Structures are given as C-alpha cells and as structure tokens.
Amino acid sequence: TLRLINECMDTKGKQHVSNGELIKWLGLRVAMAAEPRRGSITEYFSPADYGTRFGMSRHCFQDIISALNFAPLKSAPEHQKDPW
C-alpha cells in the first residue's frame, strides 16, 4: 500500500509518505470516526486543531487520501468490466 501511495505521490510531484505518516493518517481517520462532525474535513482541522494534536497538516492528510491505493490499477479495458 505504501509503495502504491508513494508512486501516486511521485506522479503528483508530492513528497513521499513515511510509515509513521501513514499510521498518523490512520489514527486521524479513527479519531474522526469516534468524534463525528457535520461538514468537511476542514471542520476537524480548524476548531479541534487535529493538525497540532496528531502532528499532520490538513494538506498532508488530503494528499494521502488522494493517493491512497490498495492495489495497482488494472488495464483500462479489464478495469472497466463489471465484476458482477
């Protein structure tokens, strides 16, 4: 997963994600689930200051979301087939 995330970060010209940053990101997602709020991700980083609390900026958090991959994408024709 981390290798695929970093490959995606390379294509976007972003810094690589370390193991520790991925663990922080997962911790943030768990904290967000435990403290649900209405609104966007910015709601967690503005008043609650999750960035300081967890040591990750909102931009880094969103970069990881946009690069998150668990498996390489398949070729276009095969990828577009309906699995059901």
Side-chain angles (χ1 to χ4, degrees), residues 12-27:
K12 295 177 179 198
K14 303 280 184 175
Q15 266 189 322
H16 279 197
V17 175
S18 68
N19 286 332
E21 287 172 319
L22 186 59
I23 298 299
K24 284 182 190 179
W25 183 86
L26 289 168

Side-chain angles (χ1 to χ4, degrees), residues 18-74:
S18 68
N19 286 332
E21 287 172 319
L22 186 59
I23 298 299
K24 284 182 190 179
W25 183 86
L26 289 168
L28 273 163
R29 293 304 288 177
V30 170
M32 289 174 170
E35 186 185 343
R37 299 173 184 212
R38 292 180 182 234
S40 66
I41 288 173
T42 57
E43 294 297 319
Y44 291 92
F45 285 87
S46 298
D49 201 15
Y50 272 38
T52 301
R53 207 163 129 197
F54 290 93
M56 179 176 285
S57 71
R58 178 177 55 88
H59 297 292
C60 181
F61 182 83
Q62 289 177 316
D63 286 344
I64 293 173
I65 286 176
S66 70
L68 192 61
N69 286 298
F70 293 102
L73 292 175
K74 298 177 181 178

